[in-house]
Amino acid sequence: MKLRRILTLSLACASLGAFAQTHIEGEEYYKADQLENAKDLLQRSLSNGQTDKAVSNYYLGMIAVDQNNQAEAAKYFSAGLAANPQYPYNYVGEGLLKLMQGDQKEAENLFKQADKNSKKDASLQIAIARAYDRVDPVKYEKQIAKQVEKARKFNMENPDIYMFEGDQHRENKDWGRAAGMYEMATNYNPKATAAYVKYANLYTMVNPDFAIKMLGNLLKENPNSALGQRELANAYYNKKEYAKAAAEYGKYVQNPSHFKSDENRYAFLLFYGQDYQKGYDYATKLLKEDPNNFTAQRYQFMNAAQIPEMKDQLLPLAEKLFARYKADPKNNRFAPIDFNLVAYEFQNAGRPDEAIEVLKAGIKEIPDFADFNKTLAMTYIDKNDLTDAADSYAEYMKKIEPGYNDYVQQATFDFYAGIENKNDQAKATKYFEAAKENATKAAEILPENYMPYKIYGDIAKQTAPTADAAESAAVADYEKASDLLETMIANNIAEGKAVPNKYKSDAKDINVYLGNHYYEKARIDEKAKMYYNRALAQDPNNDQLRNFVSKIK
């Protein structure tokens, strides 16, 4: 019992101490230019009896200035002065507001008051320099230089000096000099958290390994920095090292200064780090805490869909998730992966109409995402709705740069749509013509492939005026296809590759058609035997075909 009491007290003190730091974390986020995150932490700190409210109010006031809310900024600075009239920075804040209002004289009186309340504070001089710079860096160039000079005189190793100069270079897009200044800030103060973050951010996209190294250095100096943990996780994410990003985020979400909204992202990172069970468990935990957490519900399903043991539970999860999306699509937003996974579950359950509804919602929500149209076409095929399949794939083709396979697939869909509409001559003709056009485009890309010529022949048979005419209509196209197929099959064999079943099946059908034509119609036995033998080569166990070939002289 005594041990339990000691542990409980220790944990309570640790928690209180960590929470008391939120105004410090808020200051770090502010200096790293993450205003909303800084505001969140600083507002939390105001309800903590151990926080320095003069500090929190100053930074909250500066955030309000940056968000163009001078009235709110004035309230914060006033509250900061009420909390501690000796804290000089809120005078700087009020001076900044006067400067923004065009009252330079009163602004400078307030800056002097701030100076009186400080003891040669280099950081204060930089805060005043930033105030001038915030309003007009050109007009107040001399005042800015004077404040920076005073700061250096008081303490030339103060990191705020180099942070400010780095920010100035960054504003001018002089990335190299900005990086140099941020590096100097970290050299002079290895615990200058925001300097590491700004330094790393210059390299996150162009040299992610260096950014990761810098943030690792930060965490060596300050292992409990929520900002450092979060930025390191994001750096790994930007490098697409999702498992490492998830590991760092796992540390971050245990930090008392983490943001509640980031808990959802941890489940997302676990998914991309392929730790699906952990991602599912964490998202489920978040849902228990807040059943209305739609984002957690998404990540729960997303992770569950990758766990084979959960396959029997996926359909009800998909139903609930899509129902919530439909109830409020504006606020309950889906990403492409959500539409695809939910549609798949409906399709897998033999409910294609619902899968189609999901995919159409995806197309409406994210019209440029071409794969929705492709998946929709395949769903229509499973439903044996060939015309809608052709139309859906045509929409897919408009959104991509089609290649050979795309044109062949579209031509095939168009061909079957033509057959489906045989009772409507105009529609049938439209689809058959589209099939020819797409087959031609495929042939232009790969003239040595047989498939476009097979499609030409298929169309010729279907559009022949009589059944008797159909027996000869495809000869020219099928002969071309047969010759190309022979070459393709021979090449596969020469290269030691297996001959695809599609080649064998098509070769048999094409060559039997040609053999029949030359044996029964043209009465050219030599050609008939050649094509029958080609067919037999792809189906050597077909005794009926073999016996038939043997009768030809």
Side-chain angles (χ1 to χ4, degrees), residues 37-147:
N37 291 336
K39 187 174 183 178
D40 183 318
L41 289 168
L42 291 163
Q43 286 178 331
R44 281 194 235 170
S45 76
L46 290 175
S47 61
N48 185 345
Q50 295 192 11
T51 196
D52 189 330
K53 290 181 173 55
V55 176
S56 290
N57 277 295
Y58 167 67
Y59 285 106
L60 284 167
M62 292 302 294
I63 291 167
V65 169
D66 287 332
Q67 294 178 338
N68 298 315
N69 192 336
Q70 292 189 35
E72 185 175 273
K75 290 179 183 177
Y76 280 123
F77 295 140
S78 178
L81 288 170
N84 180 5
Q86 299 306 308
Y87 182 68
Y89 287 83
N90 284 300
Y91 292 107
V92 176
E94 290 195 335
L96 169 58
L97 292 179
K98 292 297 182 183
L99 206 59
M100 292 174 74
Q101 294 159 11
D103 192 345
Q104 182 179 348
K105 182 177 180 181
E106 183 56 27
E108 291 179 346
N109 286 336
L110 288 161
F111 295 155
K112 288 176 183 176
Q113 180 63 48
D115 244 344
K116 288 179 183 177
N117 286 19
S118 71
K119 296 179 180 179
K120 295 185 176 181
D121 181 359
S123 293
L124 181 71
Q125 306 311 313
I126 295 301
I128 297 171
R130 283 187 181 276
Y132 283 116
D133 186 74
R134 171 71 173 72
V135 177
D136 192 332
V138 176
K139 179 179 178 179
Y140 296 115
E141 183 180 2
K142 290 182 180 179
Q143 288 86 341
I144 294 168
K146 178 182 176 182
Q147 298 303 142

Side-chain angles (χ1 to χ4, degrees), residues 286-298:
L286 296 179
L287 273 173
K288 286 180 180 176
E289 295 171 0
D290 178 10
N292 294 318
N293 187 335
F294 180 70
T295 303
Q297 188 176 352
R298 287 179 57 223

Side-chain angles (χ1 to χ4, degrees), residues 402-459:
Y404 172 83
N405 290 331
D406 299 308
Y407 285 120
V408 167
Q409 184 68 81
Q410 182 68 65
T412 303
F413 283 154
D414 289 332
F415 170 71
Y416 284 109
I419 295 174
E420 189 173 67
N421 289 280
K422 279 300 277 285
N423 293 330
D424 184 334
Q425 190 60 47
K427 285 186 74 173
T429 300
K430 182 189 82 168
Y431 285 110
F432 284 135
E433 288 300 321
K436 286 182 186 177
E437 183 181 337
N438 283 297
T440 299
K441 288 177 180 177
E444 289 170 355
I445 296 172
L446 287 180
E448 69 278 11
N449 195 292
Y450 77 95
M451 183 57 74
Y453 300 96
K454 179 184 182 299
I455 293 171
Y456 294 152
D458 292 344
I459 295 168

Side-chain angles (χ1 to χ4, degrees), residues 263-283:
E263 293 177 353
N264 291 331
R265 193 166 194 224
Y266 180 41
F268 166 79
L269 288 172
L270 288 167
F271 172 79
Y272 276 99
Q274 299 181 20
D275 197 345
Y276 304 124
Q277 187 63 55
K278 192 171 183 179
Y280 171 79
D281 292 340
Y282 190 76

Side-chain angles (χ1 to χ4, degrees), residues 308-453:
E309 295 79 9
M310 294 199 68
K311 63 180 181 179
D312 294 333
Q313 302 174 50
L314 294 179
L315 183 58
L317 290 175
E319 290 172 330
K320 290 178 183 177
L321 188 62
F322 189 57
R324 285 199 63 189
Y325 165 79
K326 283 201 299 182
D328 189 2
K330 184 177 179 181
N331 293 308
N332 295 340
R333 303 296 294 273
F334 264 14
I337 190 172
D338 300 291
F339 289 110
N340 281 330
L341 288 174
V342 171
Y344 176 82
E345 288 308 316
F346 286 134
Q347 182 69 10
N348 196 45
R351 292 155 60 176
D353 288 335
E354 288 165 277
I356 288 167
E357 180 189 2
V358 174
L359 292 167
K360 284 185 173 180
I363 292 167
K364 182 179 179 181
E365 187 81 27
I366 314 169
D368 293 334
F369 191 74
D371 278 359
F372 287 150
N373 299 92
K374 184 178 183 178
T375 306
L376 183 59
M378 301 306 176
T379 307
Y380 279 125
I381 288 292
D382 288 346
K383 199 183 171 192
N384 204 30
D385 189 342
L386 306 176
T387 302
D388 281 339
D391 292 344
S392 296
Y393 208 85
E395 289 301 311
Y396 166 70
M397 296 280 280
K398 292 176 184 176
K399 298 176 183 179
I400 64 168
E401 293 184 10
Y404 172 83
N405 290 331
D406 299 308
Y407 285 120
V408 167
Q409 184 68 81
Q410 182 68 65
T412 303
F413 283 154
D414 289 332
F415 170 71
Y416 284 109
I419 295 174
E420 189 173 67
N421 289 280
K422 279 300 277 285
N423 293 330
D424 184 334
Q425 190 60 47
K427 285 186 74 173
T429 300
K430 182 189 82 168
Y431 285 110
F432 284 135
E433 288 300 321
K436 286 182 186 177
E437 183 181 337
N438 283 297
T440 299
K441 288 177 180 177
E444 289 170 355
I445 296 172
L446 287 180
E448 69 278 11
N449 195 292
Y450 77 95
M451 183 57 74
Y453 300 96

